[in-house]
Amino acid sequence: MKNVPMYLKPNVVLEPLVDDWYAWSHLISPATAAMNIVGRHHTIIDSYISAPSIHAEAVGNSKMRGGPFMDLGGERVEDVKALQEKSFKKQKEVIKFAKAIKELDKTLAAEAKGYGLEELYQKVPEILKGYVELYYDRNNNPGFRFFESLLYNSEFYNKASQSIAMWITNNDERPFCLSTPRLEESHVLNLNISFDNPGIDELAKMKRTPQTFSYIKDVLEIPASKERLFETFFTETPPPPYQKYTGEKIRMRYFGHACILVETKDISILVDPLISYYGYHSDIEHFSDVDLPDMIDYVLITHNHQDHILFETLLPLRHKIKNLIVPRTNSGKLEDPDLKLMFNNIGFDNVIAIDQMETIRFADAIITGLPFIGEHSDLNINTKSCYLVKIGNFKLIFLADSRIIEPKLYEYIHNQVGDVDVLFIGMECDGAPLTWLYGPLITKKLPRDMDGSRRLAGSDCKKGMSLVDIFNPKEVYVYAMGQEPWLEFISSIKYTEESNPIIQSNKLVSLCHERGMIAERLYGEKELLYEKESIREVANFKNSNKNSVYEF
Ligand SMILES: [Fe+2]
């Protein structure tokens, strides 16, 4: 078999890990990663070692879903201890760095009282000196920002802690990935390579273009002892051929969660990529890798949450992504890492950071970055963008998880862009409290009621309807909000008919129906075809003001 052309099986998971934990965007930017390694991983490990049975119980309790509990059935304590040892050793400098961040927070709180900050630079912990700038906000509240690009070139960017776990999935079940590390298992092959390794591209290309086993084995330097397992990931059977869209219309395909592919015969745009696997039985129809074009012109990322940036999907797609669009920031804040820098450092060379109301034009399409409000626990976070995609005269608006706290914002946007044809929105309107996602970055204890009042919540029916009123779409689609079974490991969500997001989105859908609109909460997959002409009258566009970014 060594010289027979082989394909990578469609149900092989390439699971990126940092320090043996599921890799997500807060584990790459060095300062943010340091805080998560110490504040999330080490804390959960400590807790598991001291009371494994409590974890097992909590994982079984649906009310505790998504909590900081390891899903290991109370077992493998020795392995968890070994993981802890390994991390203490490997992350020695990173641990010191996280400690220094806490110290600096304390120092500023105690000593920065509105007077000049120059003196305080002496008190910045040695390890942070040169990497931070101190400042006050307008009301004398002190803070600091990192020079993030310098940190990526320091010992604190621990590329050696990145690896890829390679394994075959036969169902969609996985433990909640933010709380359970990946321990060694006989069916899992650990590739000790960093995410920028071009071998990942060579491997991923084999989903469609066969290569010999010896070729890929050499590229990834697979040791002889692992060859047997490595072989099981490949097959001589080719995948079903990709059916390129050749019609004159716009084809929209929903891949689950907030992932949508918009294609014409000439262009392709993929929003918030999250691609499920195939090659095993699934009760739910779903598009998969086989339905993606050979080249994707633009990938759009809406915001920096673990369920919208999936390295597991993005790394294998890297070789076919022409342009990756991310919301712009260079705030240097722990809670707001720079996505362009992050993607550049994990092997994406073609990243464009988009600003609010900035446009990108290509072929007969215009992509516009739009303001995104809410769903970030009132933290000062810039890396979030909604998008308007206009192809010909047809307009689709992707609002991701934005919570329409102040409809006036969208009225102003509407003044510039006019009505839209199709509107997509998430309605996870309860949302987790601030500390669920950002807890490891916070160094001062937050009172429980304060935490509970600062949620990662999307729009409810009323807020969603305010958007419908403003943009007057013909069609409204609510995302499935993590309900697809292949999403549970990353979202930890399981709704019932009584869950508020389901009640609220049902209500929104029926209100839209009453108004004669097409509306639906998506689930699994969906395909729609549209004419390039807008569904609505061209007259609608005349409302756009003189400063409009569009040229009608
Ligand atoms: Fe989100």
Side-chain angles (χ1 to χ4, degrees):
M1 84 173 267
K2 294 219 170 353
N3 290 311
V4 180
M6 308 284 285
Y7 296 91
L8 182 66
K9 286 182 183 170
N11 53 342
V12 170
V13 180
L14 299 178
E15 192 176 70
L17 305 176
V18 167
D19 224 16
D20 296 322
W21 288 73
Y22 191 81
W24 63 295
S25 50
H26 282 206
L27 291 179
I28 306 294
S29 178
T32 311
M35 297 302 276
N36 270 282
I37 286 167
V38 174
R40 186 185 305 272
H41 300 171
H42 291 177
T43 308
I44 298 178
I45 288 174
D46 258 351
S47 155
Y48 189 78
I49 292 171
S50 59
S53 59
I54 288 180
H55 281 244
E57 232 171 81
V59 168
N61 181 346
S62 61
K63 283 186 186 146
M64 309 274 215
R65 198 182 291 279
F69 306 107
M70 272 196 210
D71 191 356
L72 294 174
E75 291 167 10
R76 303 197 66 174
V77 178
E78 287 311 309
D79 293 329
V80 175
K81 281 184 185 164
L83 180 77
Q84 185 187 45
E85 277 301 301
K86 194 169 127 188
S87 183
F88 283 168
K89 223 173 174 178
K90 249 186 161 173
Q91 304 290 5
K92 213 168 144 198
E93 292 306 308
V94 166
I95 295 167
K96 283 188 207 156
F97 194 82
K99 214 174 146 200
I101 291 173
K102 280 189 184 176
E103 256 177 64
L104 181 56
D105 259 351
K106 248 189 186 166
T107 306
L108 290 180
E111 301 191 33
K113 298 289 184 194
Y115 296 95
L117 286 169
E118 274 190 35
E119 295 289 300
L120 271 183
Y121 276 81
Q122 305 303 320
K123 295 193 177 176
V124 171
E126 208 50 41
I127 203 169
L128 297 184
K129 277 188 178 148
Y131 289 123
V132 292
E133 179 170 26
L134 311 181
Y135 62 79
Y136 287 116
D137 72 6
R138 286 177 303 101
N139 293 312
N140 288 348
N141 299 304
F144 61 92
R145 67 177 143 258
F146 285 103
F147 298 106
E148 247 189 294
S149 47
L150 300 181
L151 284 178
Y152 275 106
N153 287 304
S154 74
E155 59 200 316
F156 307 113
Y157 180 49
N158 196 349
K159 234 164 75 163
S161 67
Q162 297 175 359
S163 66
I164 304 278
M166 196 174 174
W167 52 282
I168 288 184
T169 177
N170 283 312
N171 55 52
D172 295 313
E173 279 164 31
R174 276 197 252 178
F176 177 52
C177 68
L178 299 191
S179 300
T180 307
R182 177 155 289 285
L183 300 179
E184 268 184 37
E185 283 178 88
S186 58
H187 70 287
V188 179
L189 177 65
N190 221 309
L191 301 172
N192 281 320
I193 53 174
S194 54
F195 301 157
D196 59 354
N197 190 310
I200 297 171
D201 304 310
E202 293 307 296
L203 184 60
K205 283 178 196 167
M206 288 178 72
K207 285 187 178 188
R208 287 213 183 149
T209 312
Q211 266 295 357
T212 62
F213 181 71
S214 350
Y215 171 77
I216 194 65
K217 180 178 73 76
D218 292 347
V219 166
L220 294 169
E221 298 175 19
I222 305 296
S225 61
K226 300 282 180 190
E227 261 184 48
R228 256 249 164 91
L229 176 59
F230 192 57
E231 268 177 18
T232 64
F233 301 139
F234 301 92
T235 174
E236 286 178 46
T237 312
Y242 164 66
Q243 305 281 346
K244 185 174 164 29
Y245 180 66
T246 53
E248 290 302 317
K249 297 185 177 180
I250 299 165
R251 182 169 77 178
M252 186 291 285
R253 281 180 160 184
Y254 175 67
F255 278 66
H257 203 48
C259 178
I260 288 162
L261 176 66
V262 180
E263 290 169 288
T264 69
K265 64 180 169 38
D266 303 312
I267 62 164
S268 52
I269 298 168
L270 184 65
V271 186
D272 284 348
L274 201 171
I275 310 297
S276 55
Y277 300 95
Y278 70 101
Y280 55 92
H281 172 77
S282 173
D283 290 333
I284 305 160
E285 290 288 310
H286 54 99
F287 292 120
S288 189
D289 185 72
V290 71
D291 305 296
L292 289 174
D294 291 327
M295 285 307 275
I296 303 167
D297 293 312
Y298 283 87
V299 163
L300 312 182
I301 301 287
T302 58
H303 64 299
N304 190 2
H305 282 162
Q306 88 290 354
D307 55 332
H308 291 260
I309 299 181
L310 276 101
F311 298 143
E312 178 177 339
T313 290
L314 286 164
L315 290 178
L317 289 184
R318 183 171 60 195
H319 68 279
K320 56 164 79 181
I321 297 175
K322 278 198 205 161
N323 301 285
L324 179 63
I325 312 292
V326 298
R328 185 192 298 280
T329 192
N330 58 2
S331 70
K333 285 175 186 292
L334 284 172
E335 62 273 33
D336 193 31
D338 182 333
L339 287 183
K340 182 172 188 282
L341 261 181
M342 182 198 76
F343 277 113
N344 285 158
N345 277 282
I346 58 168
F348 290 81
D349 299 326
N350 40 8
V351 189
I352 301 165
I354 197 167
D355 270 322
Q356 293 165 8
M357 304 314 292
E358 190 180 0
T359 59
I360 293 164
R361 292 157 188 264
F362 68 107
D364 58 348
I366 306 173
I367 297 168
T368 307
L370 304 177
F372 176 136
I373 193 171
E375 211 249 350
H376 287 67
S377 303
D378 302 317
L379 290 168
N380 187 1
I381 288 174
N382 293 323
T383 41
K384 45 197 171 89
S385 180
C386 301
Y387 292 97
L388 179 75
V389 173
K390 182 169 177 267
I391 302 172
N393 278 324
F394 193 83
K395 291 192 245 175
L396 306 104
I397 192 166
F398 298 95
L399 293 152
D401 294 341
S402 49
R403 181 170 170 88
I404 315 307
I405 306 161
E406 179 47 83
K408 267 203 173 310
L409 165 65
Y410 291 88
E411 282 171 23
Y412 296 138
I413 294 169
H414 177 263
N415 287 344
Q416 289 200 45
V417 306
D419 287 351
V420 303
D421 295 287
V422 187
L423 183 150
F424 297 91
I425 186 159
M427 293 184 67
E428 217 293 72
C429 50
D430 285 350
L434 180 152
T435 52
W436 184 77
L437 202 66
Y438 298 103
L441 309 178
I442 289 161
T443 57
K444 198 174 147 195
K445 200 163 167 39
L446 199 67
R448 216 183 150 87
D449 57 339
M450 218 181 253
D451 190 21
S453 79
R454 309 243 321 252
R455 307 193 82 86
L456 290 133
S459 291
D460 56 14
C461 175
K462 197 173 158 216
K463 292 183 166 61
M465 282 311 289
S466 68
L467 275 180
V468 172
D469 289 336
I470 293 166
F471 287 105
N472 201 20
K474 281 280 183 209
E475 300 185 12
V476 175
Y477 296 100
V478 180
Y479 304 121
M481 301 176 290
Q483 287 190 96
E484 285 102 356
W486 59 89
L487 252 297
E488 269 176 43
F489 84 100
I490 193 91
S491 70
S492 81
I493 283 171
K494 216 168 195 168
Y495 292 137
T496 65
E497 281 304 304
E498 281 77 50
S499 306
N500 198 28
I502 298 300
I503 295 171
Q504 295 288 326
S505 50
N506 283 345
K507 217 161 116 190
L508 179 127
V509 166
S510 63
L511 281 173
C512 289
H513 286 166
E514 280 170 25
R515 294 187 185 186
M517 296 170 180
I518 294 171
E520 184 183 327
R521 188 176 58 240
L522 299 163
Y523 182 62
E525 74 168 34
K526 180 95 188 166
E527 177 177 304
L528 293 163
L529 290 166
Y530 300 105
E531 300 290 341
K532 282 192 190 175
E533 281 310 305
S534 170
I535 308 175
R536 39 196 61 265
E537 301 288 327
V538 176
N540 279 335
F541 298 112
K542 288 185 181 158
N543 290 334
S544 14
N545 71 16
K546 281 184 191 144
N547 299 325
S548 165
V549 287
Y550 296 103
E551 295 156 2
F552 295 113

